[in-house]
């Protein structure tokens, strides 16, 4: 009987540990970035269409694939990122700018367009022409309005979502444009403000 009692205590302790670990993960989520929750170097993010359930995926030849994600009803969170590419926010090499590092592609997103080409590619290091340095502007309501490369090397430097599918990316593409297409936004992996989960009560007889 004593051994059985000790066993039950051990099982209760293990259950508590598992529940605690579960709460740690439950307290995190992908939350839309606004002016009041500005980005910081080291943040983990995904880039998504502002008005569509699509997010930036892997690198194609000249742009980025679009993949399906699941957003909350108000669009303030992404509840399932699917195959979206996770990026790391880094410091740009110009004051006040940021860079987006792709750990899978081992490089930085940059506006690669030339002439009439709308390109978004990955470079191993940040070049001095500013194509990989990005500046975020916000609308009056605090939402992200545009993500634009700080460069004079190309006029096609605003990161946008193009819903027109291609053979290699039927859900659309993410690329850089001078005008047109759909705006993008950013979701950051962070602690949720109201995600405290109460530990269930249990007793060991």
């Amino acid at each position: 009987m004593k051994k059985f009692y000790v066993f039950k205590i051990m099982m209760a302790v293990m259950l508590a540990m598992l529940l605690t670990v579960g709460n740690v993960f439950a307290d995190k989520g992908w939350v839309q970035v606004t002016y009041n929750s500005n980005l910081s170097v080291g943040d983990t993010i995904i880039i998504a269409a502002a008005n569509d359930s699509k997010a930036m995926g892997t690198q194609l030849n000249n742009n980025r694939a679009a993949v399906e994600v699941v957003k909350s009803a108000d669009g303030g969170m992404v509840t399932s990122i699917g195959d979206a590419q996770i990026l790391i926010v880094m410091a740009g090499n110009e004051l006040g700018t940021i860079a987006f590092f792709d750990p899978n592609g081992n490089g930085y997103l940059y506006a690669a367009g030339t002439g009439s080409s709308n390109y978004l590619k990955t470079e191993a290091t940040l070049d001095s022409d500013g194509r990989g340095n990005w500046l975020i502007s916000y609308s009056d309501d605090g939402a992200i309005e545009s993500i634009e490369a700080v460069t004079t090397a190309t006029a096609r430097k605003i990161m946008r979502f193009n819903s027109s599918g291609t053979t290699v990316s039927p859900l659309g593409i993410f690329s850089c444009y001078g005008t047109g297409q759909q705006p993008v936004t950013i979701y950051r992996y962070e602690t949720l403000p109201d995600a405290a989960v109460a530990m269930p009560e249990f007793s060991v007889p």
Side-chain angles (χ1 to χ4, degrees):
M1 180 64 71
K2 184 176 181 181
K3 289 183 178 179
F4 181 70
Y5 178 74
V6 172
F7 174 76
K8 292 184 73 174
I9 292 177
M10 292 175 63
M11 290 298 292
V13 170
M14 291 177 64
L15 176 61
M17 291 174 65
L18 287 171
L19 289 171
T20 300
V21 171
N23 284 340
V24 170
F25 286 101
D27 288 348
K28 293 282 189 175
W30 297 93
V31 180
Q32 189 173 27
V33 172
T34 65
Y35 178 80
N36 291 326
S37 60
N38 219 343
L39 289 173
S40 300
V41 171
D43 282 348
T44 301
I45 66 161
I46 60 173
I47 296 175
N51 304 309
D52 204 325
S53 57
K54 305 298 186 296
M56 184 181 293
T58 55
Q59 181 70 55
L60 304 174
N61 285 337
N62 297 315
N63 39 59
R64 288 263 168 169
V67 299
E68 197 79 38
V69 295
V70 179
K71 293 184 179 182
S72 60
D74 64 356
M77 290 185 61
V78 169
T79 57
S80 176
I81 68 169
D83 295 323
Q85 177 61 60
I86 295 175
L87 304 169
I88 309 298
V89 177
M90 307 291 282
N93 57 13
E94 292 185 28
L95 185 63
T97 65
I98 59 174
F100 300 113
F101 182 76
D102 176 356
N104 283 357
N106 197 30
Y108 300 87
L109 301 188
Y110 77 105
T114 57
S116 60
S117 301
N118 300 303
Y119 292 162
L120 174 62
K121 296 185 180 182
T122 306
E123 58 185 356
T125 58
L126 291 173
D127 289 336
S128 59
D129 61 8
R131 291 173 180 258
N133 296 321
W134 302 90
L135 196 62
I136 299 175
S137 60
Y138 298 87
S139 60
D140 291 340
D141 63 0
I144 291 177
E145 190 169 56
S146 70
I147 304 174
E148 184 173 344
V150 184
T151 181
T152 58
T154 178
R156 300 171 185 272
K157 56 185 178 179
I158 304 173
M159 195 182 298
R160 308 285 277 183
F161 169 62
N162 184 342
S163 60
S164 298
T166 65
T167 303
V168 292
S169 185
L171 297 180
I173 59 171
F174 287 81
S175 197
C176 288
Y177 300 87
T179 59
Q181 308 305 329
Q182 300 181 31
V184 298
T185 189
I186 294 174
Y187 291 86
R188 173 173 51 197
Y189 191 62
E190 61 183 64
T191 300
L192 303 179
D194 55 353
V197 180
M199 289 286 287
E201 295 181 3
F202 61 90
S203 60
V204 180

